[in-house]
Amino acid sequence: MTLTGHKRGVSAVKFSPDGRWIASCSADCTIKIWDAVTGALAHTLEGHLAGINCISWSPDSKYLASGSDDKLIRLWDVQRGKCMPTPLTGHHNYVFSLAFSPKGNMLVSGSYDEAVFLWDVRTARLMRSLPAHSDPVSGVDFVRDGTLAASCSSDGLIRIWDTGTGQCLKTLVHEDNAAVTSVRFSPNGKFVLAATLDSCVRLWDYVEGRCVKTYQGHQNEKFSLNAGFGVEDGKIVLWDVSSKEVLQTLSGHSGVVLGVDVGLDDQTIVTCGVDKTIKIWKKQPTAAMNGHHEPALPQQASRDDHGVAEHELAQNGTAENGVGENGAVPHEQS
Amino acid sequence: MNLPLTDPSLLAQDIPESLSARLRSSGQAVCIRFSHQGDLLASGTSKGGISIFDLATNGCARKIKGHTPNRTVQSLSWSADDRYLLSSSIDWKIILWDLQDGSRVRVCNLGAPVYIAELHPSNRFQCVAALYEYRPVLVDLEDEAHPKQHPLPNLPMRAPNEQEDAAKADAKHFTTVAAFTPTGSHVVTGTTKGWLNIISTTTRETIYSLRLCSKPILLIRLSASGRDLLVNASDTIIRTIKLPDLTSPNLKPDSINLEVEHKFQDVVNRLSWNHVAFSSNADHVMASTLMNHDIYIWERGHGSLVKILEGPKEELGAVEWHPSKPLVAATGVESGKIFIWTINTPQRWSALAPDFVEVEENEEYVEHEDEFDIHPIEELKRKRLDQEDEEVDVLTVDEEQMQREKMGNMRNKDDEFRMPVLLDMGESDSEDEIVAIGTGQFRRKSTAREESEFLDGEVEDGDAVETNGHNGNKRRREE
């Protein structure tokens, strides 16, 4: 299924935690809420003055937070399709990444101003400003119980923060120091998955500070599928968590894939890209790549309990464009 | 999940050290109580309002109003799943609140000002209350229209030879405080004449009595295990008492013999204690002091004073210890703010730079045999990739972690309660209530406004959302 409607590149797409909606945000300054089943457009949320980089659903699926190049974070009441009156102001530069805490009471945001901010969602008040990085913060995430937050930056560092005290507890760095473009905690909170601009996705044991897996789907792809597409653009790669094998590559986007999310049932993947479209992928029981598909099933199925994660799924694409996945958006703006 | 990364020396600390936060909502907080999970703190004000604070953000998460305005909220008690809150006030009422939507589930008029009301540990529709100059009651709120009140005895159980002059001694003898044991099988009460009574919940009869002193008992607290009792009496002595296992089936009421384990007092200054609390594991006892700004903390092993917490320059009222963390909250008697003490967590610099390790002293570095050997980079990379052959489990959550998240309660995921996050609370945060009246001009929010707000609350049936809706344009001055 392909959802069209955005006028410019779509920077992020997210399933709501209850699985009913898909939210997408775009460089055309709008957020669109789609019905996850039918694909019908439910709401178009307008209010930001510049392109939107990131969105995050509150755990109860009632609210949506969005971060934009206008330096604001806005909260939206999804049911009513309205913007909350007070935006979260404080960042000095583009807001580039966002995540709700599992309880929905806090937001963490990363910005081009190199800081990570922790917000009290209820009062739209800045709680903590973490002097996190020396380059734009490209990704943030909360761990499952909300006690830790992770941030990553183009300076090549991944930092783990204690949300209670605001202290940095750990720093992860790969020796190549490649810019990190996104960071996610695993569903059980023991690992972080980070995508870097050296065409790798790495799984870190953050307690020991050790990289346990390196996924290199991009290169595989180059050889196998290069014929169909000019460069690496427009493909989504699925890896097996343990064996590091590429399970499947999905192609269909005619440009860079910017955002990806996995549905509640683990059978659905939604992706978006600079080609202004959103695509929904459903897993077919008789997929062509069946041989590789089988072993992944138990892992994918068990994800139900843990909500949405993309631990074995990372987007490919902009690796060689020199900017982070979402980075294409602010650059388009300027 | 932050435990594996936390400095072990910090985890070893069990006593808070310094003042870390001030919470403030409209009104003057007089009583506070942590939720069982420890993520929320309920506070009742002298004007009858109740605020729920989120300890992660130190901001107000919900305001509920329903008690008669300007009547002090006396006590608060959480249900086991932290969804319901029982409040009692000197306006004779006890109210059971549903924090899902802030509604009043039950309102019950007990016919007398309430000293303290406590929910049954497992049944949210049962509570015990101590009333002013009246018998304590066990209230059954199951039937909404007709709550049943079962009076409990005031008078202690006496030996037959003491019966003669009992009538005189029993005049004006009332219960001041009542508390459930953690299983709810018994109620422990304290009286105006220094008696401690243990009353069975099922038979509603006193099974054991003990006279501690001749002055009124002010507060009784039980530890989470139910085996330790903490009693504050107006004779300036705090007592800890070990309790037998009251739930054991072969316990004979006659065989109970309680003895005071420790007596904590300040012999020099003759300080009297406003409010007392056990620490989370009952290893420590703390107390706020009358006419003094400090919180005293004793440890129970030897009964010695281990810490005096200093903080605000005002007398402190109610004190509470967090159910799992070394965190203490207390209310200021004058300002009505809530003060929070925690341990200090210094930044470890090695956490910022992964290649560095913090050492106590200089160490001679011994080079490994092949440490600086040069290998071709490609070969190294390939080798490293080949070594990544372990099985990783990114899904399974440790039992231990699950326990921590559920706080050991026998709850499963379905009935776990999470209080909804209200985004339209208005400016009800922890700072002073200051209103912007123009560019750069601020004034303190007038008390008249505050009262009218409470009146609104009364009319609107305590709907926090409605009454706070018009506060949206207030600004807080940044400090």
Side-chain angles (χ1 to χ4, degrees):
Chain A
M1 190 154 45
T2 304
L3 311 175
T4 50
H6 281 296
K7 296 187 185 69
R8 299 186 65 181
V10 186
S11 52
V13 63
K14 290 276 165 73
F15 277 104
S16 68
D18 63 6
R20 285 178 60 204
W21 309 103
I22 293 170
S24 65
C25 64
S26 157
D28 65 8
C29 313
T30 64
I31 299 165
K32 286 183 192 289
I33 312 286
W34 314 82
D35 188 305
V37 182
T38 62
L41 180 66
H43 288 294
T44 300
L45 310 176
E46 287 172 341
H48 278 296
L49 302 173
I52 302 166
N53 296 316
C54 49
I55 43 176
S56 177
W57 286 92
S58 71
D60 58 6
S61 299
K62 280 187 188 152
Y63 301 104
L64 191 71
S66 62
S68 158
D69 282 359
D70 62 8
K71 307 173 195 173
L72 299 181
I73 299 166
R74 283 185 185 277
L75 293 165
W76 307 85
D77 182 330
V78 176
Q79 269 124 12
R80 288 186 289 164
K82 285 229 179 83
C83 182
M84 288 294 161
T86 35
L88 281 59
T89 50
H91 276 300
H92 303 305
N93 211 329
Y94 309 147
V95 182
F96 204 53
S97 49
L98 265 180
F100 259 104
S101 74
K103 280 183 191 145
N105 55 356
M106 290 186 283
L107 259 179
V108 60
S109 66
S111 159
Y112 257 61
D113 64 11
E114 302 169 5
V116 170
F117 283 6
L118 273 171
W119 304 87
D120 178 353
V121 174
R122 293 187 184 92
T123 55
R125 183 171 58 99
L126 176 64
M127 273 167 41
R128 267 183 214 286
S129 158
L130 309 174
H133 293 283
S134 53
D135 267 320
V137 180
S138 49
V140 286
D141 195 21
F142 267 107
V143 78
R144 51 176 285 131
D145 68 351
T147 54
L148 296 175
S151 69
C152 68
S153 157
S154 354
D155 62 7
L157 304 180
I158 303 160
R159 292 208 152 126
I160 312 285
W161 306 86
D162 188 318
T163 47
T165 63
Q167 244 117 50
C168 177
L169 294 179
K170 194 83 187 176
T171 301
L172 309 173
V173 58
H174 193 257
E175 58 193 35
D176 298 341
N177 228 10
V180 190
T181 57
S182 87
V183 64
R184 291 288 295 265
F185 278 100
S186 68
N188 65 359
K190 286 184 190 161
F191 301 93
V192 290
L193 185 77
T196 48
L197 290 188
D198 59 354
S199 302
C200 290
V201 178
R202 290 193 175 84
L203 188 69
W204 293 83
D205 181 333
Y206 63 84
V207 176
E208 291 175 38
R210 188 167 59 91
C211 174
V212 285
K213 296 284 170 189
T214 306
Y215 306 106
Q216 290 179 315
H218 321 62
Q219 285 156 10
N220 277 346
E221 236 169 277
K222 246 184 185 167
F223 286 106
S224 60
L225 291 163
N226 211 0
F229 297 88
V231 256
E232 302 193 334
D233 294 350
K235 291 181 294 294
I236 304 112
V237 191
L238 284 104
W239 286 275
D240 183 280
V241 174
S242 284
S243 71
K244 300 190 282 179
E245 277 171 42
V246 174
L247 296 174
Q248 197 174 10
T249 45
L250 308 169
S251 30
H253 279 290
S254 55
V256 178
V257 182
L258 293 174
V260 62
D261 198 13
V262 184
L264 207 59
D265 56 357
D266 283 327
Q267 307 290 313
T268 328
I269 296 166
V270 61
T271 59
C272 64
V274 289
D275 60 0
K276 306 171 194 170
T277 63
I278 299 153
K279 285 185 192 295
I280 303 176
W281 310 79
K282 286 244 193 296
K283 185 148 89 183
Q284 285 178 359
T286 53
M289 301 189 67
N290 226 345
H292 284 311
H293 226 113
E294 291 291 313
L297 269 169
Q299 280 161 344
Q300 292 200 330
S302 57
R303 264 199 325 237
D304 283 357
D305 304 335
H306 307 285
V308 179
E310 51 188 51
H311 62 276
E312 56 183 312
L313 198 153
Q315 68 270 57
N316 147 47
T318 52
E320 287 171 354
N321 291 5
V323 200
E325 291 136 4
N326 299 358
V329 179
H331 281 250
E332 273 185 8
Q333 297 290 308
S334 56
Chain B
M1 304 242 39
N2 53 356
L3 291 182
L5 287 176
T6 310
D7 192 349
S9 67
L10 289 178
L11 290 179
Q13 288 184 29
D14 47 8
I15 305 176
E17 288 170 304
S18 58
L19 192 64
S20 65
R22 293 171 171 85
L23 309 182
R24 159 100 199 198
S25 174
S26 54
Q28 193 167 14
V30 286
C31 59
I32 48 175
R33 193 54 78 90
F34 284 104
S35 67
H36 293 96
Q37 293 250 25
D39 52 350
L40 301 172
L41 177 71
S43 80
T45 68
S46 57
K47 305 242 178 195
I50 295 167
S51 302
I52 315 287
F53 290 96
D54 184 334
L55 291 168
T57 61
N58 283 345
C60 185
R62 198 182 262 291
K63 284 182 177 181
I64 45 181
K65 285 162 195 154
H67 281 294
T68 312
N70 295 328
R71 294 282 183 277
T72 306
V73 175
Q74 284 283 22
S75 74
L76 297 162
S77 177
W78 292 83
S79 69
D81 61 356
D82 288 345
R83 175 170 171 173
Y84 299 92
L85 183 73
L86 183 82
S87 64
S88 71
S89 160
I90 52 173
D91 69 357
W92 303 7
K93 279 188 280 193
I94 53 170
I95 301 182
L96 184 67
W97 305 87
D98 183 352
L99 295 180
Q100 177 71 38
D101 51 5
S103 64
R104 294 188 277 187
V105 186
R106 297 285 187 276
V107 181
C108 182
N109 190 325
L110 296 180
V114 187
Y115 278 125
I116 190 166
E118 200 179 85
L119 273 183
H120 189 279
S122 51
N123 177 2
R124 67 168 187 269
F125 288 122
Q126 199 175 37
C127 71
V128 65
L131 306 176
Y132 175 72
E133 301 210 335
Y134 198 69
R135 302 219 290 178
V137 286
L138 197 64
V139 189
D140 188 348
L141 299 164
E142 191 77 55
D143 184 356
E144 189 168 4
H146 307 284
K148 292 190 201 76
Q149 296 184 27
H150 309 289
L152 298 176
N154 262 328
L155 302 179
M157 212 174 66
R158 291 167 198 269
N161 56 353
E162 291 173 7
Q163 294 284 4
E164 296 133 34
D165 48 22
K168 190 171 165 250
D170 289 344
K172 297 249 171 200
H173 195 172
F174 300 108
T175 300
T176 51
V177 56
F180 272 111
T181 57
T183 54
S185 61
H186 294 80
V187 173
V188 185
T189 63
T191 71
T192 47
K193 300 202 173 172
W195 284 85
L196 196 72
N197 298 327
I198 299 177
I199 303 169
S200 163
T201 320
T202 43
T203 62
R204 300 197 280 277
E205 279 170 10
T206 310
I207 60 162
Y208 179 78
S209 294
L210 171 73
R211 186 159 207 195
L212 293 175
C213 59
S214 56
K215 296 271 184 63
I217 287 178
L218 299 173
L219 189 63
I220 291 179
R221 312 207 63 162
L222 281 112
S223 67
S225 67
R227 303 299 294 272
D228 308 287
L229 198 65
L230 180 63
V231 181
N232 184 25
S234 24
D235 63 349
T236 74
I237 299 176
I238 299 166
R239 296 171 174 85
T240 59
I241 298 166
K242 283 232 179 266
L243 280 182
D245 185 3
L246 292 169
T247 53
S248 109
N250 45 16
L251 175 92
K252 292 198 186 68
D254 306 335
S255 65
I256 305 177
N257 184 23
L258 300 187
E259 274 178 26
V260 173
E261 180 198 37
H262 286 299
K263 285 186 178 180
F264 301 111
Q265 59 181 324
D266 188 325
V267 190
V268 182
N269 299 321
R270 302 290 297 164
L271 292 171
S272 47
W273 315 103
N274 279 343
H275 202 262
V276 293
F278 269 125
S279 69
S280 36
N281 54 5
D283 283 351
H284 295 85
V285 168
M286 68 166 171
S288 62
T289 47
L290 186 71
M291 312 288 281
N292 191 309
H293 303 165
D294 302 328
I295 293 178
Y296 284 61
I297 299 179
W298 298 269
E299 59 93 32
R300 275 181 58 214
H302 300 93
S304 53
L305 182 69
V306 288
K307 184 98 190 167
I308 296 177
L309 287 182
E310 296 174 356
K313 296 279 168 278
E314 65 173 311
E315 189 183 332
L316 299 168
V319 287
E320 285 288 318
W321 198 298
H322 188 276
S324 54
K325 281 191 245 174
L327 187 152
V328 163
T331 60
V333 166
E334 283 152 42
S335 69
K337 285 183 186 170
I338 301 166
F339 301 96
I340 307 263
W341 285 261
T342 53
I343 53 173
N344 299 323
T345 48
Q347 173 70 59
R348 280 185 308 132
W349 298 109
S350 60
L352 294 167
D355 303 342
F356 288 81
V357 187
E358 278 172 37
V359 290
E360 294 289 319
E361 288 172 35
N362 284 340
E363 285 174 20
E364 189 107 350
Y365 188 76
V366 186
E367 184 188 327
H368 296 294
E369 175 59 37
D370 55 352
E371 192 170 13
F372 295 104
D373 293 359
I374 295 167
H375 294 289
I377 291 173
E378 284 307 310
E379 197 178 308
L380 266 180
K381 275 191 176 163
R382 204 175 56 243
K383 208 190 244 172
R384 196 173 304 135
L385 285 177
D386 287 344
Q387 279 169 354
E388 296 174 356
D389 55 355
E390 65 194 297
E391 284 287 318
V392 288
D393 181 359
V394 293
L395 298 169
T396 323
V397 183
D398 288 348
E399 273 302 306
E400 214 181 318
Q401 171 64 21
M402 288 302 251
Q403 286 285 320
R404 268 199 297 277
E405 284 175 28
K406 302 262 185 301
M407 293 302 292
N409 287 349
M410 303 153 293
R411 260 177 282 152
N412 53 39
K413 209 167 182 176
D414 297 330
D415 51 43
E416 185 179 355
F417 172 67
R418 236 172 225 179
M419 200 164 76
V421 175
L422 304 174
L423 297 190
D424 35 15
M425 283 288 302
E427 280 296 332
S428 50
D429 59 29
S430 53
E431 304 298 319
D432 281 329
E433 307 242 323
I434 286 170
V435 194
I437 52 171
T439 16
Q441 287 180 291
F442 300 92
R443 69 173 166 80
R444 191 171 275 268
K445 199 178 147 193
S446 75
T447 42
R449 168 71 179 280
E450 234 169 76
E451 270 160 31
S452 75
E453 225 177 83
F454 276 105
L455 290 171
D456 285 352
E458 186 69 3
V459 178
E460 306 246 3
D461 224 12
D463 191 341
V465 179
E466 285 298 310
T467 51
N468 283 303
H470 56 88
N471 294 356
N473 55 352
K474 260 180 282 158
R475 293 268 165 70
R476 180 182 62 87
R477 191 171 58 188
E478 296 288 338
E479 287 191 358

